[in-house]
Amino acid sequence: MKKKYIYYPGCSLRSTGIAYDESIRAVFEKLNIALEELEDWNCCGATSYFSVDEGDAFALASRNLALAEQQMGNEDFDIVAPCSACYLVLLKTKKILEENKDLYAQINLKLQKVNLNYEGKVKVRHPIDVLVNDFGLDNLAKQVKFPLKGFKVASYYGCQIVRPYSMFDDMYNPTTLDRIVKALGADPVDWPLKTRCCGGSLTGTIQEAGLRMNRFLLQKAQEEGANVIITCCPLCQHNLECYQERINKQFREEINIPVIYFTQLIGIALGLSSKELGLNRLFKKPSLKRFAVQKGEVANAW
Amino acid sequence: MRISMKSIAEPNGHGPKLENVKKVVRRIKFESELDHDFGEYIAGKAHGQKLLTCIQCGTCSATCPLSHYMDFTPRRIIAMTREGFKEEVLNSLTIWLCASCYSCYVECPKEIRITDIMYALKREAIQKGYYPKRLPVPVLARIFHKFVYRYGRNTESWVLIGLYLRTNPFKMLKELILGLKLMLRGRFKLGIEKIRKRNQLRSLLAIEEGRVK
């Protein structure tokens, strides 16, 4: 029986990360992987809820997990969360409730009062995990229409996908994104800051620190000769892309590097249109013309 | 306040002028002033983390990408928490600089979940009202909390506008251009995201809107 995926987009994918949402839906549709959106999902709580009240943070996340179980009934399914914060919060809640039976009983009692029940059978997955481990890179490579030959891609994983739980990749030197990049025919750039933190919401709150953290990342990627940085988190993408101008001004840098979602890169290679992938929402589009094998064809899309 | 000898010393070497010494403060705490239960209490709030097993090796401070900006490094926060320096820890900037990147958590040789301890300290500081009123990080956490309580989801645009209004309205002007650019690209929407079963969600949550100090 074919596995089903419940899609949990999260709040960021409704606003700043809307291109991530569009490109995931487009790519998964193209690859024939069915995604069903979780009905009436609520915010995962992100890091903010854990800073205000932990019980509430678990309650918020477990409502989503319980809703997913309710929606799918007895079918075999996984919940797919593309945003790093959502992914970690759901995963952490699942793990902590497994570890701490008292807490589980407490939270489930609350859920039962509002006619929900969380059994703990749901698995939390990331789209990278689904693409690499369920769909398979060979299958992906077969679907590539425009190999991105000679295109240098720096994969940036960020923190919360690989830490503290490394479910599908190495914690210190993750390689799944690089393998996807290779499957698309592009060249992964070997750089050491793959999992260094971008500062998260610090660019909006304590900018002195936030901007500096992003500066290191951008500087290094550019130094290594990357044509583009790919990310798998809406906040990382926002930080790395939208603050480049300010970083250049403040630190007298000359950074000029497009930052896109990994799903957008896949979509480009699969031959999806710029609009389907939300590339029109970027500040800086990657210039691919020079790298396309079949000239003309890719150039049309761009 | 830290008094630097360089700034108050006379150039001719006669020592500091009295009027330049702004405030004389005791720099050392007496044993009796410490809150001895604080370490245990915080450990309990962070799923029983064993603070006493910390060997003060400093791996957490070394891996932390933000330790350069902190007033106390993570290693010192652990030491101060278990010794009972409650006010110093809860008033520190460190807990608000922590971006929850979990670098320390995975590197700690004693497997102490430091990120969870930071979360426990943040909660304690917010619930007991220890943080500076206009410091953006805790203000953001509270606005976020309020939004999710009310609507079930957060709307990034309004959360950010609320944050700047409460902390530094002038900064909003600086961010205006970026906001407009995002809006033009459909990445900054002013419509509020809501879930259908808001009452169901509210009855799940213990902390009501605005109950947190």
Side-chain angles (χ1 to χ4, degrees), chain A residues 226-251:
Chain A
N227 298 117
V228 69
I229 299 178
I230 54 168
T231 70
C232 47
C233 167
L235 196 51
C236 300
Q237 198 274 344
H238 176 75
N239 281 342
L240 290 169
E241 182 183 42
C242 302
Y243 291 99
Q244 277 187 29
E245 212 174 294
R246 205 169 291 175
I247 289 170
N248 283 343
K249 213 165 148 194
Q250 194 166 331
F251 305 107

Side-chain angles (χ1 to χ4, degrees), chain A residues 72-102:
Chain A
M72 291 317 283
N74 289 324
E75 281 184 86
D76 182 25
F77 78 100
D78 293 342
I79 187 163
V80 176
C83 167
S84 293
C86 301
Y87 171 75
L88 179 64
V89 168
L90 295 182
L91 188 62
K92 187 172 178 174
T93 302
K94 183 181 154 66
K95 293 251 179 193
I96 300 254
L97 294 186
E98 267 168 21
E99 248 174 54
N100 190 337
K101 287 285 165 227
D102 292 344

Side-chain angles (χ1 to χ4, degrees), chain B:
Chain B
M1 209 200 83
R2 182 171 293 196
I3 300 166
S4 134
M5 291 313 282
K6 203 178 153 200
S7 63
I8 52 175
E10 281 285 275
N12 56 17
H14 288 306
K17 265 189 182 173
L18 195 59
E19 60 263 33
N20 287 345
V21 181
K22 280 186 190 127
K23 209 171 156 193
V24 179
V25 283
R26 176 153 56 89
R27 296 288 302 283
I28 288 172
K29 256 195 168 178
F30 292 122
E31 184 80 23
S32 59
E33 290 166 336
L34 299 173
D35 182 343
H36 290 287
D37 302 325
F38 186 60
E40 199 86 341
Y41 174 73
I42 290 295
K45 293 258 167 185
H47 308 285
Q49 287 303 300
K50 294 183 179 57
L51 291 178
L52 280 176
T53 62
C54 169
I55 52 171
Q56 289 287 295
C57 65
T59 305
C60 45
S61 304
T63 56
C64 178
L66 279 151
S67 58
H68 315 54
Y69 310 104
M70 290 173 171
D71 40 5
F72 304 108
T73 58
R75 178 189 65 84
R76 292 181 70 180
I77 287 288
I78 300 290
M80 287 161 71
T81 302
R82 68 181 182 190
E83 296 305 330
F85 287 85
K86 184 177 168 185
E87 277 77 24
E88 287 80 354
V89 170
L90 293 181
N91 280 316
S92 74
L93 197 57
T94 300
I95 53 175
W96 303 115
L97 273 166
C98 169
S100 317
C101 80
Y102 293 86
S103 294
C104 49
Y105 183 118
V106 299
E107 296 288 351
C108 176
K110 300 300 277 185
E111 293 176 356
I112 298 173
R113 297 175 176 179
I114 300 162
T115 314
D116 286 349
I117 292 168
M118 290 289 177
Y119 272 136
L121 291 169
K122 287 178 205 182
R123 288 197 289 274
E124 191 63 13
I126 284 187
Q127 282 170 11
K128 303 278 159 71
Y130 267 101
Y131 63 93
K133 278 262 145 21
R134 287 155 80 87
L135 188 69
V137 190
V139 175
L140 174 71
R142 288 189 45 207
I143 296 177
F144 191 101
H145 180 274
K146 204 164 120 182
F147 250 86
V148 176
Y149 184 81
R150 214 183 273 178
Y151 303 112
R153 288 181 195 167
N154 93 73
T155 312
E156 283 172 346
S157 50
W158 287 106
V159 169
L160 279 176
I161 291 169
L163 170 72
Y164 290 130
L165 282 181
R166 282 212 203 149
T167 51
N168 187 354
F170 294 107
K171 222 177 137 193
M172 193 148 76
L173 293 173
K174 210 179 144 193
E175 305 287 343
L176 202 65
I177 298 170
L178 180 60
L180 284 174
K181 273 186 179 174
L182 287 170
M183 217 179 262
L184 277 175
R185 287 166 174 82
R187 284 165 66 175
F188 203 70
K189 292 179 185 163
L190 293 176
I192 288 177
E193 282 278 328
K194 287 178 193 168
I195 62 168
R196 272 185 290 113
K197 293 181 179 167
R198 292 190 286 278
N199 285 331
Q200 183 195 50
L201 183 78
R202 272 175 219 168
S203 53
L204 272 176
L205 302 177
I207 291 198
E208 289 164 22
E209 182 180 350
R211 216 196 75 192
V212 182
K213 255 196 224 175

Side-chain angles (χ1 to χ4, degrees), chain A residues 18-81:
Chain A
I18 190 159
Y20 197 10
D21 183 57
E22 290 168 335
S23 55
I24 281 190
R25 286 177 198 265
V27 165
F28 274 54
E29 200 189 306
K30 181 90 185 166
L31 297 176
N32 237 333
I33 310 173
L35 284 182
E36 193 181 314
E37 186 170 334
L38 180 62
E39 265 172 54
D40 208 36
W41 54 269
N42 57 266
C43 173
C44 71
T47 53
S48 292
Y49 250 79
F50 280 98
S51 314
V52 176
D53 188 276
E54 198 177 40
D56 280 2
F58 289 136
L60 263 185
S62 57
R63 177 175 180 268
N64 288 319
L65 298 173
L67 281 178
E69 287 184 353
Q70 197 181 43
Q71 191 169 331
M72 291 317 283
N74 289 324
E75 281 184 86
D76 182 25
F77 78 100
D78 293 342
I79 187 163
V80 176

